[in-house]
Every structure is written in C-alpha cells, then in structure tokens.
Amino acid sequence: MSRIREVPASESRGHAALSPTLLAWLDAEPLVMGTVLEVGTGTGRLALALAPRARRVLAIDTDAGALVEARRRARRAGLGNVLFVVADAERADYRALGRPDVVAAHLCMSDLIVLRAAAGLPLGGVLAFAAFHVDQWRETGRTSRFAYDTDRARAVLEAAGFRIEGLEVEREVTRFESSEEAQAFAAPFRAKWETDGRWAEWERFLAEGGRTLTESRLVARARRQGQG
Ligand SMILES: C[S@@+](CC[C@H](N)C(=O)[O-])C[C@H]1O[C@@H](n2cnc3c(N)ncnc32)[C@H](O)[C@@H]1O
C-alpha cells in the first residue's frame, strides 16, 4: 500500500515529522508491558515519543553527541524510563543490551540491523521501522545504499525469520512554484548534497523544468517466528 501526499512547499513536513504509520503501528503494541529498543535514535525523538507508553525504552546510536542532547531532552520531559547508550546497531547483541520485546527504528535501517533484531528478539517479538524508500529525493539522481523498496524489504525480513504484518510506502511530493523556491527549500541539505554529488543533479533537474522534491519512506512491521 502507498500513501501519497502532494503539497506546496509551505505545507511540506519533510524530515520534520516522525512517520505517522510507524507511530500508529507502535501504538497498537502493548508497550506498557515490555522493553523497546530503538536503534539509531539520534536526538531521541522516537524514543521520547514512546517512553510515556512503554515500561522501558533503551535507545542506541553511534553518535555520542546526539545522545547528550537526547538525554537532555528526556530530563526536560521528566522521563525516567528511557536510557540512551552509545552502541553500534549493526554489531551489538540486542539480548545482552536489554532483552527487548520490540525493536524500533526511524530512518536507520540495514540488512544487518534486521539480522541483529532477529537474533535479539524473542519469538513473537516485533520489529517496526520506517526506512528510506528508494524514491527518497529521487530528483537528486541517487539512491541511498540504505534505502529499501517493498520487494527487498519483504525478502530481507522473511529471510531473517520475520512474518510481515504491514508494509507501506509513505510518500510526500513537495511542489514548487519556481526554481528559486526549490533551491531555497533544499538549502539546508546543500552542504551534504555537494559532497555526495546530489546538488549538481538537483540543479540539472531544476534547469530542465523539474519542480518537485520527493520524501519517501518504507514502513514495516514484522513479528519474529520460527525456532527460538
Ligand atoms: C537519519 S538519522 C535518524 C535519527 C532518528 N532516528 C530520527 O529519526 O530523528 C540516522 C541515525 O542513525 C545513526 N546510526 C547510523 N548508523 C548506526 C549504527 N550502525 N548504529 C547505531 N546508530 C547508527 C546515526 O548516528 C543517526 O543518528
């Protein structure tokens, strides 16, 4: 299933919003009974959104600086049941980290993380994530090596022993009135796009009359099955 939202620049949510589908799916889980492990938490926005409804949230990231900010935000929000730990989600032993019942991720996903989650969750445990979809920023001519399409996500999850309960694409296409409006909108990404070669492709797209920018996420919910 695909949800497509077409908006003018003034209404674009872009990177600013957590995936509504992921939040709704996690809402349906009995988090109050168990431990959520969030991988790639950054400054903790998903962990902080889940903490009020969960017994315990453990959130990891390789970026120690981002976790300093995450801890500050947790303190400010008065949340005592969320712990931020520096760890590599592709290498860590999730069971040893904290026996999670749910592994969640927002814009941090890879095949190795799926395998780690499969090894670390109990039977019936849930992996729920929003990943970049292959159409993310398609106008810049490059696909992130971490991006998934529906078929690849399905294959990777099933090969790791998950039963897929939901797979959706959330897409927001921002439409611009002019090339100048598009350039201004993308200005926050310029430094990054210049280093990875996207900016030149984006300028070419605009020069050829293109007036869109696509945000696209693959959202998945899967339950561990098979041998314990
Ligand atoms: C696009 S950001 C998303 C941050 C956050 N989940 C959010 O949506 O605001 C990706 C995050 O994943 C982290 N990350 C990347 N690879 C990682 C790994 N192997 N283990 C843990 N964190 C990782 C980065 O440091 C960064 O904070």
Side-chain angles (χ1 to χ4, degrees):
M1 192 175 148
S2 189
R3 296 176 187 208
I4 303 176
R5 196 172 166 258
E6 300 223 357
V7 295
S10 58
E11 288 173 28
S12 171
R13 288 194 295 235
H15 273 54
L18 286 167
S19 158
T21 305
L22 180 65
L23 287 176
W25 285 351
L26 287 168
D27 250 352
E29 290 298 318
L31 304 181
V32 74
M33 313 288 289
T35 296
V36 181
L37 170 64
E38 191 209 349
V39 301
T41 188
T43 54
R45 57 182 179 159
L46 180 59
L48 297 177
L50 298 178
R53 305 192 299 98
R55 185 172 67 84
R56 193 166 82 102
V57 179
L58 180 63
I60 64 171
D61 203 290
T62 45
D63 182 345
L67 296 187
V68 170
E69 171 62 12
R71 289 185 196 106
R72 203 171 56 82
R73 294 173 67 188
R75 271 197 306 276
R76 254 200 333 234
L79 294 166
N81 63 338
V82 53
L83 184 66
F84 294 99
V85 175
V86 178
D88 183 339
E90 294 191 327
R91 292 168 189 270
D93 176 341
Y94 294 2
R95 238 181 255 195
L97 269 177
R99 298 192 161 269
D101 304 287
V102 172
V103 173
H106 192 265
L107 307 184
C108 177
M109 188 42 57
S110 68
D111 295 2
L112 277 175
I113 292 175
V114 172
L115 290 175
R116 288 280 142 222
L121 282 165
L123 289 180
V126 165
L127 170 62
F129 65 83
F132 289 117
H133 182 263
V134 290
D135 284 345
Q136 171 74 12
W137 290 340
R138 63 195 297 175
E139 295 84 354
T140 65
R142 295 189 68 196
T143 302
S144 159
R145 69 192 174 95
F146 295 111
Y148 285 88
D149 64 19
T150 309
D151 286 347
R152 195 165 81 80
R154 184 181 298 284
V156 169
L157 287 165
E158 287 179 349
F162 286 101
R163 188 180 71 247
I164 294 167
E165 295 185 340
L167 211 46
E168 281 197 20
V169 179
E170 283 177 349
R171 186 170 289 132
E172 180 181 273
V173 180
T174 303
R175 295 202 170 275
F176 305 102
E177 295 288 324
S178 64
S179 167
E180 290 71 27
E181 186 186 34
Q183 297 260 16
F185 184 87
F189 314 126
R190 181 168 185 159
K192 178 173 159 32
W193 288 5
E194 279 181 344
T195 57
D196 66 14
R198 288 175 188 265
W199 190 258
E201 285 296 322
W202 167 241
E203 287 193 316
R204 182 160 49 200
F205 172 78
L206 296 177
E208 288 170 355
R211 294 291 181 268
T212 58
L213 187 61
T214 302
E215 290 273 344
S216 192
R217 296 164 181 181
L218 188 287
V219 194
R221 183 181 66 196
R223 202 168 289 276
R224 195 181 153 228
Q225 58 179 8
Q227 301 299 308

